[in-house]
Amino acid sequence: MSILALHYKNHHLRKKSITMKFSYSLSKRFSLPILILQFLIIHSVSSLNLTNEYLNHKCFLNQGKYKSGSQYEENLNWIFDDIRTSPYALTGFSHLSVGKTPADFVAVTSQCRGDTYESKCRTCIDTVISGFRKRCPSNKGGIIWYDQCLLYINTIKEKDPAPTNYKNIFSMHNPNNVRGDAKLFAMRVMDFFSELTLKVKKTTKYSLIFYAAGEKKLGKNKLYAMVQCLELTMDCKGCLTWSILKLFENNEVKQGARVLGTDCDLRYELYPFVRS
């Protein structure tokens, strides 16, 4: 929005302009605070970079595909409907399985980021289910990651809690290089992740979640980071420690990076990206 200035060049319009200027001055008096308030709201939201972008997916080709109208499809749809309508969004986590035979067995796990719960989690789950149907049509199993949640579908019965799965893990890096001593920066990031890992087991008003986030002064900048484990993970701290080391393999030190998997994930940036 911009404020339009009124210009009157002709002398014979001066009388008319007096009334218009008076009206304009009142408009300006009330519109400026509104404009400032709108700017602050927009700025505060955008500065958090609270996105829910699609990140990655993996279709399990070795688990085959299901046919339309099959018992497997019925079981999968039942779980999807239950996740959407039941109060799992309060905790951000669900793990459901259905099936009497190996051919129709399906297990579905969903996990929202620790700062994404209730309606925000439910919205993300809707998005991630639609995304999976689009990218892995008729696939019996697969994983899909979004910024604020993940969906993991499997046809194989696993132990509960399950050992850490290091196969379905990937990393993403901010394209910007670190200014100054990159090795020192990496050491400070790793130290901060170690601090957060010690705090990762904490309770909410709804249930126990495995999530921690924070910020730390780093010279002229602030470092923002988060760590999280899936509720079913057998060794949360071991998974996070492995992921921290993976962040800087091949001496790739950037201003931000993340590691995501089915058991744990972590991220750091030089800007805020999670809700406080």
Side-chain angles (χ1 to χ4, degrees), residues 99-167:
K100 295 181 179 180
T101 69
D104 60 44
F105 176 82
V106 56
V108 178
T109 302
S110 66
Q111 175 78 66
C112 288
R113 199 171 66 190
D115 65 323
T116 303
Y117 46 87
E118 295 182 336
S119 61
K120 297 180 183 67
C121 179
R122 197 177 301 281
T123 299
C124 191
I125 295 302
D126 285 341
T127 302
V128 83
I129 288 174
S130 298
F132 181 79
R133 290 190 185 279
K134 177 182 176 182
R135 291 178 168 87
C136 298
S138 300
N139 282 93
K140 281 190 169 184
I143 316 168
I144 185 165
W145 293 266
Y146 277 72
D147 254 334
Q148 297 184 38
C149 62
L150 74 85
L151 185 71
Y152 177 32
I153 302 168
N154 197 9
T155 62
I156 301 170
K157 290 185 178 181
E158 296 179 335
K159 294 180 181 179
D160 181 10
T164 304
N165 181 346
Y166 292 105
K167 293 180 181 179

Side-chain angles (χ1 to χ4, degrees), residues 37-255:
L37 181 61
Q38 286 177 336
F39 171 79
L40 290 174
I41 292 171
I42 293 169
H43 179 72
S44 64
V45 172
S46 62
S47 64
L48 276 173
N49 288 275
L50 287 176
T51 63
N52 190 34
E53 300 293 330
Y54 158 79
L55 300 176
N56 199 5
H57 76 280
K58 182 177 181 180
C59 308
F60 295 158
L61 302 180
N62 61 332
Q63 294 188 15
K65 292 199 171 191
Y66 61 85
K67 294 181 179 179
S68 178
S70 65
Q71 184 62 49
Y72 182 91
E73 183 182 43
E74 184 178 327
N75 292 344
L76 183 64
N77 289 338
W78 181 87
I79 291 179
F80 282 168
D81 289 341
D82 195 50
I83 293 173
R84 285 185 170 119
T85 56
S86 298
Y88 301 110
L90 294 177
T91 64
F93 172 80
S94 70
H95 177 70
L96 301 169
S97 61
V98 180
K100 295 181 179 180
T101 69
D104 60 44
F105 176 82
V106 56
V108 178
T109 302
S110 66
Q111 175 78 66
C112 288
R113 199 171 66 190
D115 65 323
T116 303
Y117 46 87
E118 295 182 336
S119 61
K120 297 180 183 67
C121 179
R122 197 177 301 281
T123 299
C124 191
I125 295 302
D126 285 341
T127 302
V128 83
I129 288 174
S130 298
F132 181 79
R133 290 190 185 279
K134 177 182 176 182
R135 291 178 168 87
C136 298
S138 300
N139 282 93
K140 281 190 169 184
I143 316 168
I144 185 165
W145 293 266
Y146 277 72
D147 254 334
Q148 297 184 38
C149 62
L150 74 85
L151 185 71
Y152 177 32
I153 302 168
N154 197 9
T155 62
I156 301 170
K157 290 185 178 181
E158 296 179 335
K159 294 180 181 179
D160 181 10
T164 304
N165 181 346
Y166 292 105
K167 293 180 181 179
N168 301 310
I169 292 180
F170 70 100
S171 59
M172 299 174 68
H173 291 79
N174 186 313
N176 299 318
N177 292 320
V178 172
R179 296 178 181 178
D181 191 333
K183 288 185 178 180
L184 179 61
F185 177 84
M187 285 178 60
R188 290 182 175 177
V189 171
M190 292 174 74
D191 288 343
F192 190 37
F193 272 131
S194 296
E195 291 177 25
L196 291 177
T197 299
L198 294 175
K199 302 174 183 178
V200 78
K201 191 176 181 180
K202 65 179 185 179
T203 3
T204 66
K205 62 181 178 179
Y206 300 116
S207 73
L208 193 70
I209 63 169
F210 298 86
Y211 169 82
E215 60 184 69
K216 192 171 189 177
K217 191 72 175 174
L218 207 63
K220 295 180 179 180
N221 297 311
K222 265 190 179 180
L223 176 67
Y224 301 86
M226 58 78 61
V227 293
Q228 182 166 0
C229 290
L230 197 71
E231 195 168 315
L232 297 175
T233 304
M234 183 182 293
D235 184 11
C236 176
K237 291 180 180 178
C239 182
L240 289 172
T241 300
W242 186 90
S243 298
I244 291 168
L245 295 174
K246 187 173 177 61
L247 271 176
F248 302 113
E249 64 181 3
N250 303 320
N251 295 318
E252 189 173 17
V253 183
K254 298 291 185 178
Q255 289 186 14

